[in-house]
């Protein structure tokens, strides 16, 4: 078993995409697996309680909750803990990061899609076409307002329940009208059972799906007892699948088509548009049944076409059980495939990632950089898990954090009870002037067009990071996080690319002393670069820092003492740029807070003292498509180790770098020659004196590069605006197919006469920004006005107050 350790770890720890589930309902005193049975099945309840599936599920839930193996003890735990807490516990333990909800089943006290978003970073809605049609006919809706396609990621049909899967794709409008008349004649509430009308509706829905590039889920195989199993065999779909009009539809057969799993596998192997989902078969069947059905799916179907879902519904435990059982089953199936020689261990590991996550992301077009206001949203969900995993009673206060235009991290603190009861729905009020404040005063700067008039709302975003909304659901143009999402969408829509980022941030640890009756801040120690004694001295603090970041699921790659006196550097793992910016904000908060606990001041200001080396927040940038790094060239075909796409993107960043500095290095006195900060407009291979360098970390083939580093990014920058400016510049490079000059292979300071000097002052950076039109087009003109207004005010203030920079250690 030891040789399968990597496969085991992947199946146990991978973040899952749950491609088909249903809403959770309000907590009831009755155990969920009793409530999950419909009223029509009440007479079979006693047998169900004694079934293998129920006993196994009860055992697993008792273990999860840490209670005695008893139905009464589990019920008692649920009542005393509350739905909010048990939902968080189940989703966190299941490690589900994306959830697609078919809300076509109506329960009493259903929770809507927004409620589910408080536990998961990515939630989408699946529209059940028969249910929608019944609602329209019941309500007589004519203007379409109640059935817009907004927030829909897929359509679903339950034709198998009504008239079977032998769909007539050429049913006439006359037959459909006659069928509709029959349906309406039966009275209300409407239940659609006429085959001609269902087939017509199904066919029209496929046309809608094609028009909007939406996939279609089809119920196949077993289900509730009102289903005629003979009519739910997916082989009945062959005439539909061979209709050329629908050859480009993306169709997924649900529930492993059990007991027709082999038939479903055959269809997926023959028809390019057919995919398979094994939810419901797992965990409803016996262990042998689950394993055999998944094996049958994989007998002919390509692994790239098989995906996971829980079919969870009614209560959070169903999601947890579906995920837990699926991990065990998939591991067993893939392990056996390795033993039998069908797969290598590395191929099985990749297969697990495909089945549990990647296939669904691609099939449903789940864009992890999309806007939070859309149906599919992904943010730094691990922060959400951290906060929501505790019950309301465990947390006294919630800190709501934002980063303003001057790069300062600010917060409002609200009691947890108010956060859950009010803030999650309505946000908290905040003056618009908050985005016009500078690094030297807390009033709006002239020229930002922001005053004390008007208010924005901060809508709940992962409990602690805030978005700026004019009103709930309406993002403000000047919101930095929304700006980054906006440019990320452009990169995705135009080039099918996602930008990943990883920060290496530096900071000073200072301690307070009294000299001549005045407080003075001096370095924590005076040891050199990578000093072991320096780390030993600070290790108790850093153990807490790393533990806190790991509890937030923020990856820490390494930590060491830097060259400055009392200076340290910490490297965070790379992530989608929106998440990377979140990681940096939280990392700064953690370092500051724990340093204060130890009586120290942690400051990220670029220049703590003019005569000491500066601090940066160097950022590594890469480009990804469908989970693959496409910045790196293919072996044997490269431009300095980069792909053509990567080189053009980086060329755009280099071309616009003077203007980018107004975002990334708003106090550019750190950017001097021979300080590893990049003072000249150039790039180099592993050249740390160049502002942009290509990087080849260990494990990358010789001659290739996996990312590029921007040195000119510091701790006074708003990370969202900084990354948005880099993205905008890269997009311009891709649009215009810009090319890179030759790399600089020596210290750029030695070529002072030949190279353009980057802006030496903030005033020069702002001047470059004002001359560069791409940011106006790609970021937002109102946001640029606010940023430039803040920067100009800072230029004037610091030119007149030469020692004012000393106070910045308290602001950054």
């Amino acid at each position: 078993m030891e040789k399968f350790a990597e496969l085991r770890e992947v199946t146990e720890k991978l973040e899952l995409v749950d491609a088909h589930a249903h809403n959770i309902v309000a907590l009831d005193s009755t155990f969920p697996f009793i409530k999950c049975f419909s009223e029509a099945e009440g007479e079979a309840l006693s047998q169900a309680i004694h079934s293998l599936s129920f006993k196994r599920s009860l055992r697993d839930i008792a273990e999860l909750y840490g209670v005695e193996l008893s139905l009464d003890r589990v019920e008692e735990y649920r009542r005393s803990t509350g739905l909010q807490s048990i939902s968080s516990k189940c989703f966190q333990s299941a490690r589900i990061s994306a959830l697609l909800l078919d809300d076509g089943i109506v329960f009493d006290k259903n929770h809507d899609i927004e409620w589910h978003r408080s536990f998961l970073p990515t939630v989408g809605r699946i529209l059940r076409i028969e249910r929608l049609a019944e609602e329209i006919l019941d309500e007589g809706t004519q203007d379409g307002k109640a059935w817009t396609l907004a927030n829909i990621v897929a359509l679903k049909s339950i034709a198998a329940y009504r008239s079977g899967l032998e769909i007539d794709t050429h049913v006439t409008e006359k037959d459909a009208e006659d069928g509709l008349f029959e349906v309406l004649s039966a009275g209300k509430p409407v239940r659609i059972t006429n085959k001609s009308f269902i087939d017509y509706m199904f066919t029209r829905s496929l046309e809608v799906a094609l028009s909007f590039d939406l996939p279609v889920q089809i119920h196949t195989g077993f289900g509730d007892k009102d289903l005629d199993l003979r009519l739910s065999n997916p082989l009945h779909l062959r005439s539909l699948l061979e209709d050329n009009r629908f050859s480009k539809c993306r169709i997924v057969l649900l529930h492993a088509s059990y007991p027709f799993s082999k038939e479903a596998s055959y269809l997926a192997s023959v028809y390019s548009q057919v995919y398979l989902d094994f939810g419901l078969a797992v965990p409803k069947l016996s262990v042998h049944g689950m394993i055999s059905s998944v094996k049958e799916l994989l007998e002919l179907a390509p692994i790239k076409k098989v995906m996971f879902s829980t079919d969870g519904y009614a209560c959070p435990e169903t999601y947890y059980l579906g995920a837990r059982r699926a991990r065990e089953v998939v591991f067993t199936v893939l392990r056996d495939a390795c033993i039998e020689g069908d797969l290598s261990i590395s191929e099985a590991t990749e297969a697990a990632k495909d089945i549990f996550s990647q296939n669904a992301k691609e099939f449903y077009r789940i864009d992890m950089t999309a806007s939070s206001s859309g149906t599919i949203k992904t943010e730094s969900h691990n922060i959400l898990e951290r906060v929501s995993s505790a019950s309301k009673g465990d947390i006294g206060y919630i800190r709501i954090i934002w980063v303003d235009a001057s790069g300062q991290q600010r917060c409002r603190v609200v009691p947890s009870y108010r956060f859950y009861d009010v803030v999650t729905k309505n946000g908290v009020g905040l003056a618009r002037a908050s985005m016009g404040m500078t690094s030297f005063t807390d009033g709006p700067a002239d020229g930002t067009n922001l005053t004390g008039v008007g208010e924005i709302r901060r809508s709940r975003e992962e409990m602690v990071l805030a978005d700026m909304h004019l009103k709930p659901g309406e993002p403000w143009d000047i919101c930095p996080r929304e700006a980054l999402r906006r440019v990320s969408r452009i990169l995705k829509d135009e080039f099918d690319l996602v930008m990943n980022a990883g920060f290496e941030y530096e900071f000073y640890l200072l301690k307070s002393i009294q000299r001549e009756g005045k407080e003075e801040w001096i370095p924590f120690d005076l040891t050199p670069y990578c000093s072991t004694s320096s780390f030993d001295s600070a290790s108790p603090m850093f153990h807490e820092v790393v533990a806190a970041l790991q509890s937030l699921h923020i990856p820490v790659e390494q930590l060491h003492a830097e060259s400055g006196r009392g200076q340290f550097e910490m490297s965070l793992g790379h992530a989608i740029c929106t998440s990377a910016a979140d990681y940096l904000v939280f990392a700064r908060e953690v370092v500051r807070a724990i340093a204060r606990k130890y009586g120290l001041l942690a400051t990220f200001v670029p220049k703590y003292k003019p005569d000491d080396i500066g601090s940066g927040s160097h950022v590594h940038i890469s480009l990804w498509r469908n989970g693959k790094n496409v910045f790196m060239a293919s072996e044997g075909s490269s431009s300095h180790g980069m792909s053509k796409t990567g080189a053009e993107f980086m060329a755009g960043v280099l071309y616009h770098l003077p203007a980018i500095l107004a975002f990334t290095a708003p106090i550019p006195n750190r950017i001097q020659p021979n300080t590893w900060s990049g003072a000249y407009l150039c790039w180099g291979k592993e050249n740390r004196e160049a502002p942009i360098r290509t990087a080849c970390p260990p494990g990358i083939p010789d001659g290739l590069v996996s990312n590029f580093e921007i040195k000119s990014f510091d701790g006074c920058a708003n990370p969202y605006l900084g990354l948005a400016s880099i993205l905008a510049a890269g997009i311009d490079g891709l649009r215009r197919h810009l090319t890179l000059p030759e790399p600089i292979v020596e210290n750029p300071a030695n070529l002072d006469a030949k190279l353009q000097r980057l802006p030496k002052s903030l005033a020069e950076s702002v001047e470059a920004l004002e001359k560069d039109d791409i940011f106006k087009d790609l970021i937002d003109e109102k946001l640029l006005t606010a940023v430039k207004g803040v920067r100009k005010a800072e230029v004037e203030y610091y030119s007149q107050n030469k020692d004012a920079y000393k106070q910045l250690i308290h602001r950054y």
Side-chain angles (χ1 to χ4, degrees), residues 126-192:
I126 297 165
L127 187 149
R128 188 184 294 206
I129 59 179
E130 292 85 3
R131 175 68 185 173
L132 172 64
E134 289 169 348
E135 288 179 358
I136 293 172
L137 295 175
D138 271 333
E139 298 170 9
T141 304
Q142 296 179 358
D143 59 7
K145 291 180 181 178
W147 43 283
T148 174
L149 281 176
N151 297 326
I152 303 300
V153 296
L155 305 184
K156 178 184 175 180
S157 172
I158 56 167
Y161 273 94
R162 305 298 178 85
S163 56
L165 294 179
E166 194 169 359
I167 307 295
D168 179 2
T169 58
H170 298 285
V171 63
T172 65
E173 288 192 9
K174 176 63 169 60
D175 289 340
E177 289 174 359
D178 291 344
L180 176 59
F181 180 78
E182 178 185 304
V183 169
L184 294 176
S185 297
K188 296 184 179 180
V190 171
R191 178 173 171 79
I192 301 173

Side-chain angles (χ1 to χ4, degrees), residues 650-725:
M650 196 175 94
V653 176
L654 181 64
Y655 181 86
H656 294 284
L657 190 58
I660 290 174
L661 292 187
F663 295 97
T664 62
I667 302 180
N669 63 349
R670 182 183 67 87
I671 301 178
Q672 303 293 333
N674 301 311
T675 59
W676 288 15
S677 58
Y680 294 88
L681 187 61
C682 63
W683 74 280
K685 299 178 179 179
E686 299 292 2
N687 187 338
R688 284 173 168 78
E689 275 298 328
I692 295 177
R693 74 170 181 102
T694 54
C696 181
I700 301 300
D702 187 42
L704 301 182
V705 296
S706 63
N707 64 83
F708 69 97
E709 180 188 24
I710 300 176
K711 309 289 289 186
S712 311
F713 204 122
D714 66 39
C716 289
N718 181 315
Y720 304 100
L721 299 182
L723 291 176
S725 69

Side-chain angles (χ1 to χ4, degrees), residues 297-313:
L297 286 185
L298 294 175
E299 283 185 357
L300 290 172
I303 288 174
K304 291 286 186 182
K305 285 190 164 191
V306 178
M307 63 192 78
F308 153 84
S309 73
T310 61
D311 199 58
Y313 64 115

